Amino acid sequence: MLSTDQGHARPDLAKSHALNTCPPDPVSKTIAARCSNCALRQICMPSDLSAGDLVKLDTIISSSRAVKRGEALYRAGDPFQSIYAVRAGSFKTVVIHRDGREQVTGFHIPGEPLGMDGISIEIHTCDAIALEDSSICIIPFHLLELLCRELKVMQHHVHKMMSGEIVRESGLMMMLGNMSADERVAAFLLNISTRLAVRGYSPLEFNLRMTRDEMGSYLGMTLETVSRMFSKFQKQRLIEAQGKKIRILDIDGLKLV
Amino acid sequence: MLSTDQGHARPDLAKSHALNTCPPDPVSKTIAARCSNCALRQICMPSDLSAGDLVKLDTIISSSRAVKRGEALYRAGDPFQSIYAVRAGSFKTVVIHRDGREQVTGFHIPGEPLGMDGISIEIHTCDAIALEDSSICIIPFHLLELLCRELKVMQHHVHKMMSGEIVRESGLMMMLGNMSADERVAAFLLNISTRLAVRGYSPLEFNLRMTRDEMGSYLGMTLETVSRMFSKFQKQRLIEAQGKKIRILDIDGLKLV
DNA sequence: CGCTGGATTGACTTGCGTCAACATACGTGG
DNA sequence: CCACGTATGTTGACGCAAGTCAATCCAGCG
């Protein structure tokens, strides 16, 4: 979804434009999907795993997959087998109404989980689409469950991740239910900003990889309204925006919108 | 949230107005909280537990609690220790914005889980308030995790319940993001109707225990708009509504709204 | 029987959607 | 590497769905 100046393109995905990837980590660039070597491990896995635990982890998460911009990692209706972690790039998840209307339910950046909607009825309930050329780790869910029965810390971590999704969504509902268009856009920018900060990227300058339309769908408004809010914030000197490139000028001001 | 003609008041909660309770089950009325005896077990627990598994379950879920109308089962900020299952009655969950605005994020009827928002950071992120005099089963989460490490079927069930919450919320987001007021109210009534049907209640006639205001908050609209939609549906002969008492006259018509 | 909180209905206002014209960025093939 | 065509973004004019404010009604309860 976003790229920052600190982003380093992975060799296998190199393009003219910067990509989101693991923060600098010379080792992980060249080695196949291995949690034990991954710079994102602190983000998507429990922090207190022993060396032995890591070996076990490596045996279940052995594969990764590249997904090209616009391609689906999975689609609603697909049988559920694995959950995923974004390694590089970004995704949106969308649910599609029978009448064809679609709603973006989330954006996912490196280190964030994907696919947990499918656990419930063992069928995915949304599409996960890459917003740019991306790569993900594949975590076969039955193996993860096996590991969770063995490792308390892993079990706990998985539960936290799932609960985190629940909390994330109820925050979004709050936004969709109660907030005006300007408040939503401000809250969205601040949310992106903190998520980037957690991952060590600059929270004040980033690229939004999704279109205004996708942002609008996520925020429950039209693309025109999104655009107007960006213009308005720019006039108020809260941000500088040229297309997808965003710079936050007055973060406290944004919080007061 | 709802009561139906089939509802039977529990002795300890008897009031002049009907309550939601377990469907008829003479045994469970008199016996303390025991999964092995609970008529709702099919709904909130895995269906294929052995007798031995049930004994284990009974050891961890030994307590229940009554919550009076308007009281909080837990509040945002409370430390998280247990998840809950609604035994009788109904609850709303609300998140409160710093500026005081509140958003209802869900309604919970018997057999449905409560409190899973707290797992993530071990602090509850919303308030759970009883809409009527209610009772819940208390499931200490660390014991549940213990049991999940032992019983694969229980582990799987817990994961499904959590994922189910994620799916439920993304459906709501769809509603808040894309649908018009009449569509939302229709979808809400249909949702309630199916949830009642699953539990063996009449899906066509029920009492909504929440106020128009709470419904509106949940649906992202004002109480006046909710009221207008009810009047409109009534004029169209889709429903009959007198206050909280609802009768669905034309369920297919409602689906087309 | 009157009080109180909730529900309904109407009149008016407004934020945002819709439609439309135009501008800019992007990527694709010559 | 440039040029063109398509996709995306911006801005304005206008209308409507839903919010706001207010009066009234109704039901349940002391």
Side-chain angles (χ1 to χ4, degrees), chain A residues 101-173:
Chain A
R101 280 178 294 182
E102 71 174 54
Q103 159 91 17
V104 174
T105 55
F107 297 111
H108 303 260
I109 64 180
E112 295 183 338
L114 212 43
M116 296 192 301
D117 59 285
I119 300 167
S120 158
I121 51 167
E122 282 159 54
I123 286 178
H124 284 289
T125 58
C126 63
D127 295 6
I129 313 283
L131 291 173
E132 57 191 304
D133 293 355
S134 302
S135 82
I136 47 88
C137 303
I138 302 172
I139 309 169
F141 191 66
H142 70 283
L143 293 180
L144 183 64
E145 284 192 317
L146 195 67
L147 189 61
C148 283
R149 266 174 271 133
E150 220 177 289
L151 287 184
K152 187 176 168 180
V153 33
M154 181 60 73
Q155 176 196 37
H156 206 62
H157 181 72
V158 168
H159 289 165
K160 283 187 171 197
M161 288 212 308
M162 294 175 101
S163 173
E165 280 292 289
I166 295 170
V167 172
R168 180 184 73 76
E169 292 197 343
S170 68
L172 183 54
M173 278 161 42

Side-chain angles (χ1 to χ4, degrees), chain B residues 7-191:
Chain B
H8 296 256
R10 306 183 68 80
D12 54 330
L13 293 171
K15 293 279 153 183
S16 56
H17 56 291
L19 290 167
N20 294 317
T21 75
C22 302
D25 178 352
V27 181
S28 72
K29 275 186 188 174
T30 49
I31 297 194
R34 280 275 179 73
C35 291
S36 52
N37 290 303
C38 182
L40 289 173
R41 195 181 73 228
Q42 313 309 328
I43 290 160
C44 65
M45 285 296 161
S47 49
D48 46 354
L49 288 175
S50 71
D53 295 346
L54 273 176
V55 170
K56 286 176 188 166
L57 198 53
D58 281 348
T59 65
I60 78 159
I61 309 177
S62 52
S63 53
S64 75
R65 182 179 143 193
V67 185
K68 281 221 157 36
R69 175 196 162 99
E71 267 182 23
L73 172 58
Y74 57 81
R75 289 200 176 273
D78 286 357
F80 167 78
Q81 276 152 0
S82 303
I83 61 172
Y84 308 94
V86 181
R87 258 171 91 76
S90 52
F91 287 81
K92 65 172 176 179
T93 47
V94 306
V95 299
I96 298 177
H97 215 220
R98 22 185 169 54
D99 63 12
R101 280 180 294 183
E102 72 173 54
Q103 159 90 17
V104 175
T105 55
F107 297 111
H108 303 261
I109 64 180
E112 295 183 339
L114 211 45
M116 295 191 300
D117 59 285
I119 301 167
S120 159
I121 51 166
E122 282 158 55
I123 287 178
H124 284 290
T125 58
C126 63
D127 295 7
I129 314 282
L131 291 173
E132 57 192 303
D133 292 356
S134 302
S135 82
I136 47 87
C137 303
I138 301 172
I139 309 169
F141 191 65
H142 70 283
L143 293 179
L144 184 64
E145 284 192 316
L146 195 67
L147 189 61
C148 282
R149 266 174 271 134
E150 221 177 289
L151 285 184
K152 186 176 169 178
V153 30
M154 180 59 73
Q155 177 197 37
H156 206 62
H157 181 71
V158 168
H159 289 164
K160 283 188 173 198
M161 289 213 307
M162 294 175 100
S163 174
E165 280 292 288
I166 295 170
V167 172
R168 180 184 75 75
E169 293 197 343
S170 68
L172 182 54
M173 277 160 42
M174 172 89 216
M175 187 154 86
L176 292 171
N178 282 316
M179 293 167 45
S180 59
D182 49 7
E183 291 175 314
R184 291 181 208 194
V185 174
F188 175 69
L189 290 174
L190 292 168
N191 176 269

